[in-house]
Structures are given as C-alpha cells and as structure tokens.
Amino acid sequence: MIFKRLWWTIRLCMIGDSMKRADYARASGIYGFVGKQVSIMPRIVPLYSELIKINDNVIIASNVTFLTHDAINYMLNNCAGVQKKFKERIGCIEIGKNSFIGGGCTILYDVKIGENVIVGADSFVNHDLPSNGVYAGCPARKIGDYADYVNKRMKEEEKGLITTTEHHQHLTAADIKAAWKHFYEKRNSDIY
C-alpha cells in the first residue's frame, strides 16, 4: 500500500490541471468516492484516502490536509506503566456537493461537510459543518450563509467592486492592470 500511495502522489504531481487530477483520482480509485466536476489541487495522497468521499462540484484548494487517522496510539504505547496496547484510530471524511475548501485547511476524521458549504482558507475543521453555510477559523465556525455569500458576490461583480478574470489560471496584461488599479483605488477611497 505504501508503494501504491507513493505512485499515486507522483502521478498527481505530474498532472497540471486540478480537474484532471480529480479524474485520475476517480479512475484510479484513490478516494472512497470522487463525484463529477471536482477540482483537487493537493497532490499528496492522504493516508487511508479510501475513507474520503468527495461529492459533485467540489473545489479543494492548495495545501488542504485530510487526516483520516491519528497516531496517538504510538505515544501511548510507549508510556511507562501502560498495560493496554492502543490501536490506531481511523475515521471517514465526506464533503457534500457544491462545496469549496479553501487553501491550507485541515479536516479531521469523522467530519461531514454538508452541501453548499464554503470553508475559508486555513480553517481547522474538527466537527461536522451543516449545509448552506460559510465557515472559517480555528476551529471552523459559521460566519455566514451560503445564499447570502452568493448574492453578495454576484452584486460585487455586477458593480465592479471586485477584480475578476475570465481566463483560467492565466492573466492578461489588462487583467493585471485592472487588479493593481482596483487595489490602489480601494485604499484611496472611503470603502477601505
């Protein structure tokens, strides 16, 4: 199993497109389940990846860590006077459809993330996150509603309050100029 996990990690490192990584993961059976329209940025295959289910239309940003186990048993078994030999604890992780997991998040075992969920960058998810919410923090807590976020984002785009691009992972000179212009205008206005 160690060789297989290493091989999968090497293969994922060689696939530049995050949706193609998800396609490879699905075809290879890396995870317990990978739905349609999934984007997986991380290239490292977590231990016991078959305990992870990723449903349709899920985006997993860079440096997300899935922990399907703990290793406390090794420390406990080396404690003086311990009579019992502890076993490794394992657990499942499921991510519901239409969800976004921000960069740098850590998700612990026995966690279910509901449908229509946004998890902010660098969040620590150690409990279930109900559907239709925006969560962030350490530990992650609800900071907003999914529908409110979608509506706010739509209005910001329509009013030009945020800089956007239509080019997937490529910026044109006009995109770069617009981003810097917006960056400085925001700091020189009452909005900031």
Side-chain angles (χ1 to χ4, degrees), residues 1-10 24 28-30 45:
M1 188 61 188
I2 293 171
F3 176 76
K4 190 179 224 181
R5 187 168 156 238
L6 177 61
W7 173 249
W8 285 336
T9 297
I10 292 168
Y24 175 77
S28 301
I30 293 174
V45 176

Side-chain angles (χ1 to χ4, degrees), residues 124-179:
F124 178 70
V125 184
N126 63 349
H127 56 87
D128 289 358
L129 302 181
S131 295
N132 302 308
V134 178
Y135 301 88
C138 182
R141 67 187 195 299
K142 189 169 185 180
I143 61 169
D145 292 312
Y146 184 84
D148 292 344
Y149 176 83
V150 171
N151 290 330
K152 180 182 176 193
R153 173 69 182 256
M154 199 177 321
K155 288 176 185 174
E156 287 175 334
E157 284 191 28
E158 288 171 0
K159 292 180 180 182
L161 297 175
I162 59 175
T163 310
T164 61
T165 183
E166 294 181 9
H167 308 98
H168 180 68
Q169 295 188 356
H170 171 75
L171 296 177
T172 64
D175 290 335
I176 296 166
K177 184 177 180 181

Side-chain angles (χ1 to χ4, degrees), residues 10 25 51 66 74 147 161 181 188-189:
I10 292 168
L51 299 178
F66 295 104
Y74 295 111
L161 297 175
K181 182 176 186 257
N188 292 325
S189 72

